[in-house]
Amino acid sequence: PVLFNFPLLRILRICSGTYIKVDLEMLQGLPSLKTLELHGNPHLIGNLRSLRVLKDTLEEVEITRCQNLEGDFMDLADFPRLKELNLEHTKVTGDIRE
């Protein structure tokens, strides 16, 4: 399922206090997304690898206090436009030495 079908949306912010259930796989309906900010959402699930559908557009990813997010942050290592990455208080792992 696609969370949103907003092909021109460039910024998505969903902050704490919202009750929106989000699975990162649903972001495929946002092909122009440059900034993704998800903070303190206990309903967010998924694997960081799901962001690969946005590889060519994402510039900023800030996902914090989302305890159900998993994956390896190195899955984003080849995003050509990514300038900022913040994954505080998630289950995301990785080793920059790899």
Side-chain angles (χ1 to χ4, degrees):
V2 176
L3 174 65
F4 299 113
N5 188 16
F6 296 110
L8 300 178
L9 189 70
R10 296 173 63 168
I11 299 171
L12 175 64
R13 287 186 184 101
I14 300 177
C15 298
S16 57
T18 60
Y19 295 96
I20 298 173
K21 292 183 179 181
V22 179
D23 183 332
L24 288 184
E25 290 187 13
M26 301 167 135
L27 298 177
Q28 62 188 341
L30 307 172
S32 300
L33 199 66
K34 292 182 178 224
T35 300
L36 176 63
E37 294 182 17
L38 305 170
H39 304 285
N41 187 338
H43 305 290
L44 177 109
I45 61 169
N47 192 295
L48 203 58
R49 190 177 324 109
S50 299
L51 295 181
R52 295 204 58 80
V53 296
L54 302 171
K55 174 184 174 182
D56 294 323
T57 60
L58 276 179
E59 295 178 1
E60 298 177 31
V61 175
E62 197 167 309
I63 304 175
T64 62
R65 300 182 326 273
C66 296
Q67 296 298 322
N68 296 318
L69 176 66
E70 299 178 340
D72 185 329
F73 76 90
M74 292 304 289
D75 286 334
L76 307 181
D78 63 342
F79 279 44
R81 300 183 189 277
L82 191 61
K83 297 174 187 166
E84 290 187 37
L85 178 62
N86 182 352
L87 300 169
E88 291 180 59
H89 305 290
T90 65
K91 292 181 182 175
V92 174
T93 61
D95 189 340
I96 59 174
R97 297 174 293 176
E98 294 178 7

